[in-house]
């Protein structure tokens, strides 16, 4: 497994509703979220009042490599995060990562606070080439007040399946572009060329019908000109990161 100096999602180990705290940045460049779309699973629209969230899926095409390599780390992922009332914070995510001059996929569970990691586990990295079409999936296997089972994977890549059990529910969903060690002057060359788009985003209920998310779009405090937008496409909703 490739050694990464950063774990994906650490910048999100806070209440996503506290948008001012959801990003980290520095005078030296980008070290955290470039952009984020998120919503609460409790706010999903559905005709049946008793419907509950069952599965998230989204498509993503592996981008071309950044034009300039400065040993940066880049994460692209959908994720589920725990309720603000839960401590410690937890995020489950199938991650496409740029590190050590290559793209790779893996599934991660990260728990703790920024700068104070309590626990993390992940599957082995699987190398993927630019242009590869990926389908990221997170599913609820079992849900109750004190026992909740989840499965996270990239469809068709058996080595990326991560099954976990938690004593609390994950209640926030997000789509994110996160990066570390990106300089200010050359950030356009050190990030992937846009647009980067999560397409065919589907949130299914326990009866397999579609639920409608109410996305909130958030820009990073240092985003190198990237904007986050919600697109309504013929094949389904999409979240796009573009300059």
């Amino acid at each position: 497994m490739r050694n990464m100096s950063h774990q994906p999602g650490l910048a999100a180990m806070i209440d996503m509703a506290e948008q001012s705290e959801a990003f980290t940045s520095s005078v030296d460049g980008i070290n955290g979220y470039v952009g984020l779309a998120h919503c609460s699973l409790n706010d999903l629209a559905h005709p049946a009042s008793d419907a509950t969230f069952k599965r998230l899926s989204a498509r993503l095409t592996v981008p071309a490599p950044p034009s300039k390599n400065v040993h940066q780390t880049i994460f692209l992922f959908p994720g589920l995060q725990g309720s603000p009332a839960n401590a410690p914070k937890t995020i489950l995510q199938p991650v496409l990562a740029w590190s050590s001059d290559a793209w790779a996929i893996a599934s991660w569970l990260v728990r703790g606070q920024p700068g104070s990691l309590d626990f993390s586990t992940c599957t082995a990295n699987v190398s993927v080439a630019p242009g590869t079409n990926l389908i990221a999936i997170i599913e609820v296997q079992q849900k109750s007040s004190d026992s909740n089972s989840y499965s996270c994977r990239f469809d068709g890549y058996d080595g990326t399946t991560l099954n976990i059990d938690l004593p609390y529910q994950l209640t926030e969903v997000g789509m994110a572009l996160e990066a570390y060690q990106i300089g200010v002057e050359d950030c356009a060359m050190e990030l992937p060329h846009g647009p980067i788009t999560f397409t065919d985003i589907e949130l299914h209920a326990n009866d397999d019908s579609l639920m409608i998310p109410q996305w909130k779009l958030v820009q990073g405090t240092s985003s190198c000109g990237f904007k986050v937008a919600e697109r309504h496409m013929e094949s389904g909703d999409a979240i796009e990161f573009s300059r």
Side-chain angles (χ1 to χ4, degrees):
M1 182 177 67
R2 182 180 297 116
N3 181 29
M4 293 183 182
S5 58
H6 298 277
Q7 285 80 27
L10 281 181
M13 296 293 102
I14 44 82
D15 178 4
M16 282 184 177
E18 295 293 333
Q19 297 178 5
S20 63
E21 299 181 35
F23 303 90
T24 59
S25 62
S26 72
V27 295
D28 298 322
I30 299 172
N31 285 288
Y33 279 102
V34 177
L36 172 71
H38 70 92
C39 71
S40 169
L41 295 180
N42 297 323
D43 294 334
L44 298 178
H46 193 276
S49 60
D50 60 346
T52 59
F53 170 78
K54 175 67 175 179
R55 183 175 72 256
L56 162 69
S57 63
R59 293 179 180 269
L60 177 66
T61 299
V62 179
S67 299
K68 184 177 180 180
N69 180 32
V70 291
H71 307 294
Q72 70 270 48
T73 305
I74 300 165
F75 299 120
L76 288 157
F77 59 87
L80 290 185
Q81 179 172 288
S83 163
N86 294 331
K89 301 302 182 185
T90 305
I91 186 168
L92 176 66
Q93 54 205 153
V95 179
L96 170 64
W98 171 264
S99 179
S100 302
D101 305 332
W103 290 106
I105 54 175
S107 293
W108 285 76
L109 175 72
V110 181
R111 187 179 70 195
Q113 298 288 348
S116 181
L117 180 63
D118 175 68
F119 176 80
S120 71
T121 186
C122 64
T123 62
N125 284 332
V126 177
S127 297
V128 288
T132 302
N133 295 315
L134 303 171
I135 303 175
I137 297 173
I138 305 176
E139 292 183 293
V140 179
Q141 304 292 339
Q142 177 183 330
K143 184 166 61 174
S144 68
S145 60
D146 59 0
S147 178
N148 302 275
S149 300
Y150 296 88
S151 179
C152 176
R153 71 183 187 277
F154 283 94
D155 192 40
Y157 294 85
D158 293 338
T160 65
T161 299
L162 180 63
N163 297 311
I164 63 161
D165 295 299
L166 296 170
Y168 44 81
Q169 297 180 13
L170 302 179
T171 58
E172 296 275 343
V173 60
M175 304 280 168
L177 168 58
E178 184 181 358
Y180 294 87
Q181 295 179 286
I182 301 293
V184 174
E185 294 183 358
D186 295 329
C187 64
M189 293 190 293
E190 295 171 12
L191 286 168
H193 296 290
I196 301 167
T197 309
F198 290 96
T199 62
D200 299 347
I201 300 171
E202 294 186 348
L203 285 78
H204 287 262
N206 52 337
D207 62 359
D208 209 37
S209 59
L210 288 176
M211 308 181 83
I212 308 301
Q214 307 297 316
W215 295 110
K216 298 177 182 178
L217 308 179
V218 187
Q219 303 293 147
T221 55
S222 181
S223 59
C224 196
F226 268 88
K227 304 296 183 184
V228 187
E230 180 181 1
R231 307 293 187 196
H232 300 287
M233 307 172 70
E234 185 174 343
S235 59
D237 283 350
I239 298 295
E240 180 181 271
F241 302 93
S242 63
R243 291 188 181 93

